[in-house]
């Protein structure tokens, strides 16, 4: 089994870049809300480090949601999922690697810009991390 071919099965990649952007906004809101819930438990000290807290919460959130459903809650809402090079759902180590690549891309701005351009222009809508580890975001198959 392999990833769907974007030429013979374009329905799997249709509008994926736009859906990924919307999913990212949804996920960012979820991560911000979780972070704000945590703040009072730190005697509000975390407010001084809110971006760092959001980075840690976001990392954990992405690894767990990718490992358990091959998509973050935002991705699931947008009916997309990340699949590996063989077309299988991500396992925990792949979810960790995908999240690590995503985090590194955000830490080094030019890498994130390259990733955005790749998602918007490649036939599979793959970002930099996707190209590096062989994953792709795809429209989820309809459940029968």
């Amino acid at each position: 089994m392999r990833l769907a071919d974007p030429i013979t099965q374009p329905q799997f990649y249709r509008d994926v870049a736009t859906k990924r952007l919307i999913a990212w906004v949804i996920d960012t809101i979820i991560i911000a809300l979780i972070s704000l819930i945590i703040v009072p438990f730190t005697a509000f000290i975390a407010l001084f480090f809110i971006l760092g807290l959001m980075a840690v919460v976001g990392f954990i959130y992405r690894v767990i949601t990718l490992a358990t459903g091959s998509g973050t809650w935002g991705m699931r809402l947008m009916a997309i999922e990340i699949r590996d090079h063989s077309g299988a759902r991500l396992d925990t180590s792949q979810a960790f690697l995908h999240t690590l690549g995503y985090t590194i891309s955000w830490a080094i701005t030019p890498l994130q810009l390259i990733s955005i351009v790749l998602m918007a222009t490649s036939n599979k809508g793959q970002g930099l991390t996707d190209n590096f580890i062989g994953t792709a975001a795809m429209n989820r198959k309809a459940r029968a």
Side-chain angles (χ1 to χ4, degrees), residues 2-6 9 12-14 16-17 20 66 69-72 75 79-90 94 98 118-119 122-141:
R2 301 183 61 107
L3 285 173
D5 183 281
Q9 298 173 305
F12 284 105
Y13 302 102
R14 191 169 291 124
V16 167
R20 282 182 94 163
L66 287 173
S70 219
T72 63
M75 290 176 188
I80 57 174
E81 58 190 2
I82 305 288
R83 295 295 185 125
D84 71 10
H85 66 280
S86 68
R89 291 175 162 244
L90 301 185
Q94 292 168 320
H98 195 277
L118 287 172
M119 278 187 253
S122 68
N123 59 0
K124 289 183 182 176
Q126 292 172 296
L128 195 58
T129 299
D130 295 316
N131 277 290
F132 188 71
I133 65 173
T135 56
M138 303 172 64
N139 287 311
R140 198 171 50 220
K141 289 183 182 177

Side-chain angles (χ1 to χ4, degrees), residues 53-98:
L53 176 63
M54 285 182 65
V56 171
V57 168
F59 194 94
I60 294 167
Y61 165 82
R62 288 178 191 287
V63 170
I64 290 170
T65 56
L66 287 173
T68 58
S70 219
T72 63
W73 290 343
M75 290 176 188
R76 294 175 200 185
L77 190 62
M78 297 309 301
I80 57 174
E81 58 190 2
I82 305 288
R83 295 295 185 125
D84 71 10
H85 66 280
S86 68
R89 291 175 162 244
L90 301 185
D91 61 25
T92 303
S93 62
Q94 292 168 320
F96 177 83
L97 288 174
H98 195 277

